[in-house]
Amino acid sequence: MAFGQAVIGPPGSGKTTYCNGMSQFLKLIGRKVVVVNLDPANDSLPYECAVNIEDLIKLSDVMVEHSLGPNGGLVYCMDYLEKNMDWLESKLKPFLDDHYFLFDFPGQVELFFLHSNTKNIITKLVKKLDLRLTAVHLIDAHLCCDPGKYVSGLILSLTTMLHLELPHINVLSKIDLIENYGKLVYNLEFYTDVEDLSYLQYHLDQDPRSSKYRKLTKELCDIIEDFGLVNFSTLDIQDKESVGNLVKQIDKSNGYIFDSIQGSVVEFSKIAAAPLDWDYYRTAAVQEKYMKDE
């Protein structure tokens, strides 16, 4: 049994930066980490990549050979990967015993709520390699500054959750830059908790672009609230406390925290219901290294 994260999100949401920062943090607290680049358009990687889809197929080659644009080329690449899963499985198997996986996926959102290829790839990884994955869905925090964009982000998050059928954590990335985009209409908790979207209706009506679709927007908001699935964590990838809090949520969602526990059902239940404050720095060596880097 191995654990990891499927890192997804729209272009510009910070997936590659996230994988770089998250891999550094996980290594700091004593985990062996493998970063897997499954984005054939990402040819400038800041992290050390153990498995790279460009060794199998390149987006630039596909676009030239088949006269496709970037979107059609990405769909082709993921279809090709799905048909050649043996290649990916063989690359991952040497790391299964003692490594934690970070999968850096493409930013084309259609791959995660419309097409089936990416879902099929993830499903095969879960079933064949016994991977316990959590989908970490990054949304740029600047969407909170525009009510219309924020609602679209909510719809994207909900449809992706329903399509992928994985343990799922939605994240407002670049939260440290949110003040640069403008003043929020409500406090940050309103946008992270997603409790009563009716308060956005007035502000949506002030925008001539969105006021025309007032009824549609209201229906979409009602759907989001009826499902009651979407909320957000926040992330500043340069802040260790922020990254650490997110790691704890991810570990709880995919069961990583239970992997090394030997005990009764009661003990498991206590941890499952407990606040996210268990000790991640168990060994003296890891704790000493962490304190030095602080």
Side-chain angles (χ1 to χ4, degrees), residues 167-271:
H168 195 108
I169 294 179
N170 297 302
V171 180
L172 291 176
S173 62
K174 308 178 187 178
I175 199 66
D176 52 313
L177 303 177
I178 193 169
E179 293 182 356
N180 297 342
Y181 301 121
K183 186 177 180 181
L184 296 178
V185 177
Y186 302 107
N187 59 32
L188 185 60
E189 287 73 21
F190 174 85
Y191 300 94
T192 57
D193 295 345
V194 195
E195 289 185 348
D196 191 347
L197 297 178
S198 63
Y199 287 105
L200 286 177
Q201 197 66 55
Y202 169 79
H203 301 283
L204 287 165
D205 291 345
Q206 304 308 304
D207 187 340
R209 295 171 299 176
S210 58
S211 60
K212 295 188 299 182
Y213 308 105
R214 187 174 187 273
K215 291 183 178 180
L216 174 61
T217 303
K218 183 180 183 304
E219 292 299 324
L220 291 175
C221 290
D222 288 344
I223 290 173
I224 294 166
E225 291 185 329
D226 287 345
F227 273 97
L229 293 175
V230 183
N231 55 33
F232 292 97
S233 300
T234 58
L235 175 67
D236 173 3
I237 195 61
Q238 298 181 2
D239 181 2
K240 290 179 181 177
E241 183 178 355
S242 177
V243 178
N245 288 335
L246 182 59
V247 169
K248 293 173 183 179
Q249 294 180 56
I250 295 169
D251 287 350
K252 201 168 187 178
S253 69
N254 62 23
Y256 180 89
I257 61 169
F258 303 106
D259 186 44
S260 60
I261 297 174
Q262 302 293 329
S264 66
V265 174
V266 174
E267 290 174 335
F268 277 91
S269 300
K270 286 180 180 179
I271 294 177

Side-chain angles (χ1 to χ4, degrees), residues 113-131:
F113 71 84
L114 183 60
H115 298 288
S116 61
N117 46 25
T118 306
K119 178 183 178 180
N120 293 339
I121 290 168
I122 293 174
T123 301
K124 289 177 181 178
L125 290 175
V126 170
K127 291 184 176 180
K128 289 191 175 182
L129 301 183
D130 199 18
L131 279 174

